[in-house]
């Protein structure tokens, strides 16, 4: 068994990482670094509770999972690698591309696995889009739109909506949307970005729209906190037709409600939420959503540790995402299109 120490028991740690670690063969949740002792004792009584430093120093731990505020990702991961541990970091990998690249180099030099939890690669709706593109159902794609809308008029307590490094909507949802675009299309030729705080009390960005240029194709990535009637999660159009899908993948809600990934029905989309394919001749077809499954990420981590397989998300991919976020911020500040060198 790969003995795993989880650092952080907020939303990411409690609703994502702990249940996923528990659900994957060969992983055992051995220790949790957090001050939430009572909550952990109730949910995961088999896990020891200690400080983050103690979990990292524990000689019985093989894998450290970092699920803490963004500013602490790189320092904790660096300490864990130096202690001889394999590491998983919740997105984003680091605060900037240089810090992320240095961390990736350290892991490689020390012969440790470094995985970045870009879990939205295993969303059912994204897997459906990927299948349609692989099968060229839409012909030559010319417009890819991925949007993540919500209505949240009040400022949510916590570090994500307070000024500081790693805060704001672009740092929160941007890595998911950007990583998905990179998986499908690779690095863009150029980026144009609009990033702004729209709510009266907002102190960090709560809206963004990014345009990635790929020759004649455009990818539009956007998120907003002031949309009561969400736009399509995915809208992809090409010479052969269009695919439109509303609603978010159900896995997050499933686990936040206290259900486990091993429970029947996990990762399955409701039939009334299936997307619609409109062919070039105007005929429409409902397309069943692929089953999403975040467990594939941790299964990939097991293979990387045991068999030397590549990690399920390469650190270089996560560094590329950080680089594009930096370019997006530069584009928004300077008000111009930024060419990706």
């Amino acid at each position: 068994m790969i003995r795993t120490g989880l650092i952080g028991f907020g939303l990411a740690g409690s609703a994502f990482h702990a249940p996923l670690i528990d659900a994957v063969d060969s992983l055992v949740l051995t220790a949790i670094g957090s001050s939430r002792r009572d909550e952990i004792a109730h949910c995961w009584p088999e896990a020891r509770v200690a400080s983050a430093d103690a979990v990292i120093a524990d000689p019985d731990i093989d894998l450290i999972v970092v699920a803490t505020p963004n500013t602490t990702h790189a320092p904790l991961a660096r300490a864990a690698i130096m202690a001889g541990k394999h590491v998983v970091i919740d997105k984003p990998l680091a605060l900037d591309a240089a810090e992320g690249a240095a961390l990736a180099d350290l892991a490689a030099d020390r012969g440790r696995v470094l995985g970045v939890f870009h879990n939205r690669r295993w969303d059912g709706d994204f897997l459906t889009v990927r299948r349609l593109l692989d099968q060229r159902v839409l012909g030559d794609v010319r417009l890819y739109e991925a949007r993540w809308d919500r209505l949240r008029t009040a400022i949510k307590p916590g570090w994500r909506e307070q000024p500081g490094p790693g805060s704001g909507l672009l740092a929160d949802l941007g890595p998911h949307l950007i990583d998905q675009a990179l998986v499908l299309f690779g690095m863009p030729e150029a980026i144009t970005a609009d990033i702004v705080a729209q709510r009266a009390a907002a102190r960090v960005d709560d809206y963004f729209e990014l345009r990635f240029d790929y020759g004649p194709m455009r990818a539009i990535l956007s998120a907003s906190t002031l949309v009561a009637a969400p736009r399509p999660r995915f809208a992809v159009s090409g010479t052969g037709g269009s695919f439109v899908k509303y609603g978010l993948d159900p896995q997050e809600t499933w686990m936040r409600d206290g259900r486990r990934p091993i429970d029947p029905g996990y990762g399955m989309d409701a039939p009334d939420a299936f997307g619609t394919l409109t062919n070039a001749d105007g005929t429409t077809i409902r397309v069943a959503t692929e089953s999403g499954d975040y467990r594939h990420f941790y299964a990939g981590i097991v293979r990387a540790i045991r068999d030397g397989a590549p990690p399920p998300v390469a650190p270089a991919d996560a560094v590329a995402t950080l680089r594009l976020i930096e370019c997006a911020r530069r584009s928004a500040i300077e008000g111009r299109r930024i060419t990706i060198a």
Side-chain angles (χ1 to χ4, degrees):
M1 300 296 287
I2 297 171
R3 297 159 298 185
T4 304
L6 170 63
I7 300 177
F9 203 70
L11 172 62
S14 63
F16 286 89
H17 294 283
L20 290 170
I21 292 165
D22 181 65
V24 172
D25 291 342
S26 300
L27 295 178
V28 57
L29 185 56
T30 304
I32 300 176
S34 174
S35 60
R36 302 183 180 187
R37 290 183 173 272
D38 292 343
E39 185 179 350
I40 293 169
H42 174 72
C43 299
W44 305 101
E46 305 87 355
R48 300 192 302 273
V49 183
S51 68
D53 290 342
V55 173
I56 290 173
D58 189 336
D60 290 334
I61 298 295
D62 307 301
L63 170 67
I64 294 290
V65 176
V66 178
T68 52
N70 292 349
T71 54
T72 64
H73 285 188
L76 287 171
R78 187 178 301 110
I81 293 169
M82 294 297 292
K85 315 298 186 186
H86 304 290
V87 176
V88 165
I89 306 179
D90 199 271
K91 61 79 195 167
L93 167 63
L95 292 178
D96 56 51
E99 186 178 54
L103 198 59
D105 289 343
L106 178 64
D109 290 344
R110 296 275 174 158
R112 299 294 88 185
V113 171
L114 176 61
V116 188
F117 191 62
H118 281 290
N119 58 303
R120 298 290 172 173
R121 293 187 182 191
W122 292 274
D123 277 358
D125 47 13
F126 175 71
L127 292 173
T128 305
V129 169
R130 190 172 186 180
R131 175 175 62 81
L132 293 175
L133 296 187
D134 287 344
Q135 295 175 348
R136 292 191 52 81
V137 172
L138 303 177
D140 296 326
V141 173
R142 289 295 179 260
L143 179 61
Y144 168 88
E145 298 174 88
R147 304 184 186 276
W148 199 321
D149 295 329
R150 57 179 61 150
L151 179 62
R152 184 182 289 166
T153 57
I155 305 302
K156 189 176 181 180
W159 59 269
R160 286 182 176 83
E161 300 212 48
Q162 299 302 316
S167 64
L169 195 62
L170 181 60
D172 186 26
L173 298 185
H176 288 313
L177 298 175
I178 293 170
D179 180 70
Q180 288 178 333
L182 290 179
V183 168
L184 296 177
F185 307 112
M187 287 291 283
E189 300 165 2
I191 181 172
T192 307
D194 182 21
I195 308 167
V196 67
Q198 292 187 324
R199 292 171 296 176
R203 302 176 65 195
V204 297
D205 57 273
D206 58 8
Y207 167 88
F208 67 83
E209 180 155 309
L210 316 179
R211 191 192 80 196
F212 287 4
D213 296 352
Y214 296 90
M217 199 275 280
R218 296 292 182 263
I220 308 297
L221 316 177
S222 179
S224 175
T225 51
L226 289 176
V227 178
R231 297 165 293 180
R233 175 68 180 85
F234 289 103
V236 190
S237 296
T239 56
S242 297
F243 175 73
V244 176
K245 173 73 170 69
Y246 286 87
L248 292 175
D249 178 273
Q251 292 176 84
E252 177 176 350
T253 300
W254 182 279
M255 291 189 287
R256 291 183 73 165
D257 288 345
R259 292 174 286 181
R260 300 280 177 94
I262 59 174
D263 294 338
Y266 172 74
M268 297 180 64
D269 204 12
D272 60 1
F274 289 172
T276 300
L277 171 66
T278 302
N279 294 308
D281 62 5
T283 59
T284 60
I285 304 170
R286 296 283 280 176
V287 178
T289 308
E290 299 283 323
S291 293
D293 196 338
Y294 298 154
R295 289 174 292 183
H296 288 307
F297 172 84
Y298 272 107
I301 292 294
V302 171
R303 289 191 295 272
I305 293 173
R306 286 192 166 173
D307 306 327
V313 177
D317 294 349
V319 172
T321 293
L322 291 170
R323 182 184 171 205
L324 290 176
I325 288 175
E326 292 171 7
C327 289
R329 294 196 186 282
R330 181 181 166 198
S331 170
I333 291 171
E334 298 180 4
R336 66 183 183 91
R337 179 178 184 263
I338 301 294
T339 300
I340 308 301

